[in-house]
Amino acid sequence: MTYAVEVVYATPEEQCVIAIDVTPPMTIREAIEESGILERFKEIVLTNENVGVFAYRLPLDHLVEDGDRIEIYRSLEMSPTEARRIRALAKGRAD
């Protein structure tokens, strides 16, 4: 029996979705390693804080389930609060 899962990662320039079949039991870390995405994107550093399934952060030792979409999150370059402040200032100058 195998599970079909996806491993996804996005940069500002591209989105990468890798579909793989895994044999359970398999952890999130093992599925990511098996996908080959770490070789393609050398900047990825796996931590419990930057992975999840369907937008829910989960630890790397969490067991994957059939149909999971494993997401690897990048660090924010700017906080959402700061981005809103900059947009508000720009809008104020444009008016």
Side-chain angles (χ1 to χ4, degrees), residues 28-29 32 38 44-52 57-61 71-73 75:
I28 289 176
R29 176 187 298 277
I32 290 170
L38 298 176
I44 295 175
V45 176
L46 293 180
T47 69
N48 283 331
E49 288 75 42
N50 74 341
V51 297
R57 291 188 191 271
L58 294 170
L60 288 164
D61 62 357
E71 301 161 340
I72 304 170
Y73 310 119
S75 299

Side-chain angles (χ1 to χ4, degrees), residues 6-61:
E6 292 180 330
V7 178
V8 299
Y9 181 70
T11 68
E13 296 79 30
E14 78 176 295
Q15 287 184 337
C16 180
V17 178
I18 300 173
I20 60 171
D21 291 325
V22 300
T23 303
M26 183 171 282
T27 65
I28 289 176
R29 176 187 298 277
E30 292 167 336
I32 290 170
E33 290 170 350
E34 188 168 309
S35 75
I37 203 164
L38 298 176
E39 288 78 32
R40 182 168 176 187
F41 297 95
K42 302 290 187 195
E43 71 270 17
I44 295 175
V45 176
L46 293 180
T47 69
N48 283 331
E49 288 75 42
N50 74 341
V51 297
V53 174
F54 292 115
Y56 289 97
R57 291 188 191 271
L58 294 170
L60 288 164
D61 62 357

Side-chain angles (χ1 to χ4, degrees), residues 3-6 53-54 64-70:
Y3 289 169
V5 300
E6 292 180 330
V53 174
F54 292 115
V64 299
E65 297 179 19
D66 192 29
D68 277 355
R69 178 182 173 94
I70 301 166

